[in-house]
Amino acid sequence: MMTPPTDVSESTVVITLRVMWGIDTREIAYAPVGFGAHHWSVSDTDGARWFVTLHDHGAGTGAGGRALTLLAAFRAAADLEASGLPFVVGPRAACDRSVAVEAARHRWLSVTPWLDAPRLPEPSAQTAAQLGAVVDALARLHEATPLAVAAATDDLLLPERERLDAALRRADGADPADPGDLPPGGPYAIRARTALRDNAAAVRAALDDYDALAAEVRASRGGWVVTHGEPHWRNVLDGPDGLHLVDWDTLLLAPPARDLLHVAGEASGPRADAVLAAYAARTGRVVDPDELRFQSLRWALTEVALYVAWFAEPHADDEDSATAWGGFTDSLSALASERGA
């Protein structure tokens, strides 16, 4: 997120670090990186530096389950790091051995070491050696599946699916400017309803495709592995001692394609072909290109569903909402383009 949270103060973060991790803060600065969580850079009085994250798992139905999945992901990541996988940068345990601490209701803090290493370049600028190193790290991760005993299993359910379905039903002949029984929303609410209405046919078709494909993917669970979930270039640091994967809150047992899509950056094309070929050579496991397409469809629908929920709730006219709007319209365009192909 680009702006600090309004419901968890900096002093709450500092106190939680001291009480639960024994970290006495010398300096703390909000780090506007990524999207979907809040981050701080923390230097302690011993000279160490930490990357502190506040994970928001929302209120209402399913919040407790999302928190359990987060804790399972972090526990599995910690176990994988302890097993000797050098590229895993997992959370540091608190004094009670918790891998994350609930600093406020449904708001969980985690702590990882700060690494002074650059991110990988964007996919188009990566060398063949860098691509091969990422694929090799993922192959090693997937081979370590028996060690990730705490990991939860991917249910293939789209978040906020009920709200998306309800919004699509309202899109039939509804006036986007009429709030009806919707929450107050904010400056993007009407624009979001209009955009969804204009793309409703493409979204419905994509949901039908997704439901049919998800049933097939669930039948392949025997070949599922422990996945990072989002090993794109922003979550891969290229240090002098090799690659490091950060941000393990999305770890799940899932199809290998869940990771490979992010390395390919696209569901089809020369880079996707290169990723699948390198992975097959490294692991002996052949991943069908259709599996990448399924994961790409899932990603776009997940973005649409999450942002439909975002803009239906009270929100400000700020940088975070502008970023969300860009993600929402990009995902709608991707689905419309796919359906029109």
Side-chain angles (χ1 to χ4, degrees):
M1 302 295 238
M2 300 298 105
T3 57
T6 58
D7 55 347
V8 176
S9 67
E10 189 174 280
S11 62
T12 296
V13 175
V14 170
I15 292 169
T16 305
L17 291 176
R18 180 186 305 122
V19 172
M20 297 305 299
W21 278 275
I23 295 174
D24 288 318
T25 300
R26 178 176 59 82
E27 185 177 348
I28 181 170
Y30 187 75
V33 296
F35 198 69
H38 296 282
H39 308 284
W40 291 266
S41 166
V42 172
S43 298
D44 67 24
T45 54
D46 293 327
R49 194 174 178 189
W50 305 95
F51 189 69
V52 178
T53 300
L54 181 69
H55 309 268
D56 182 2
H57 283 272
T61 304
R66 290 190 293 273
L68 290 176
T69 299
L70 172 74
L71 296 175
F74 279 160
R75 174 55 59 198
D79 290 344
L80 289 168
E81 184 176 12
S83 75
L85 288 179
F87 52 83
V88 178
V89 184
R92 292 300 175 261
C95 61
D96 63 353
R97 301 191 60 79
S98 300
V99 287
V101 171
E102 194 172 18
R105 185 163 176 78
H106 305 306
R107 310 276 268 175
W108 295 80
L109 274 179
S110 67
V111 176
T112 56
W114 183 281
L115 297 182
D116 285 315
R119 293 169 170 171
L120 280 183
E122 295 186 36
S124 62
Q126 290 175 19
T127 65
Q130 288 170 325
L131 174 61
V134 176
V135 172
D136 183 70
L138 291 178
R140 294 177 67 184
L141 171 65
H142 296 175
E143 290 167 353
T145 297
L147 303 176
V149 293
T153 300
D154 193 348
D155 57 17
L156 300 182
L157 299 178
L158 295 173
E160 302 290 356
R161 175 66 184 269
E162 291 184 2
R163 294 187 75 165
L164 176 58
D165 287 339
L168 286 169
R169 288 193 297 270
R170 282 194 295 268
D172 293 324
D175 177 1
D178 179 8
D181 59 352
L182 294 176
Y188 288 87
I190 293 176
R191 277 179 278 178
R193 292 170 210 156
T194 300
L196 183 64
R197 184 190 62 182
D198 292 345
N199 293 277
V203 175
R204 289 191 187 96
L207 287 170
D208 289 342
D209 288 348
Y210 182 83
D211 291 339
L213 293 169
E216 297 178 12
V217 174
R218 288 189 182 95
S220 69
R221 281 184 178 172
W224 288 15
V225 296
V226 59
T227 60
H228 176 283
E230 295 184 6
H232 49 68
W233 61 276
R234 294 180 181 86
N235 285 334
V236 183
L237 306 183
D238 191 6
D241 55 345
L243 298 184
H244 300 278
L245 269 67
V246 298
D247 202 5
W248 289 85
D249 62 302
T250 52
L251 180 151
L252 286 171
L253 295 176
R258 181 173 185 253
D259 278 345
L260 299 180
L261 173 68
H262 290 284
V263 182
E266 55 189 359
S268 61
R271 184 178 175 89
D273 293 342
V275 167
L276 295 183
Y279 186 77
R282 175 62 176 77
T283 65
R285 183 184 292 118
V286 176
V287 175
D288 191 292
D290 284 342
E291 296 181 49
L292 289 186
R293 284 189 278 275
F294 169 75
Q295 294 295 337
S296 179
L297 176 62
R298 180 189 192 180
W299 185 263
L301 283 171
T302 295
E303 292 279 284
V304 168
L306 289 174
Y307 291 134
V308 162
W310 177 302
F311 294 122
E313 294 294 332
H315 58 274
D317 189 3
D318 58 14
E319 194 171 355
D320 288 341
S321 291
T323 300
W325 177 252
F328 179 53
T329 54
D330 285 349
S331 296
L332 285 175
S333 295
L335 291 176
S337 176
E338 180 70 19
R339 265 53 234 168

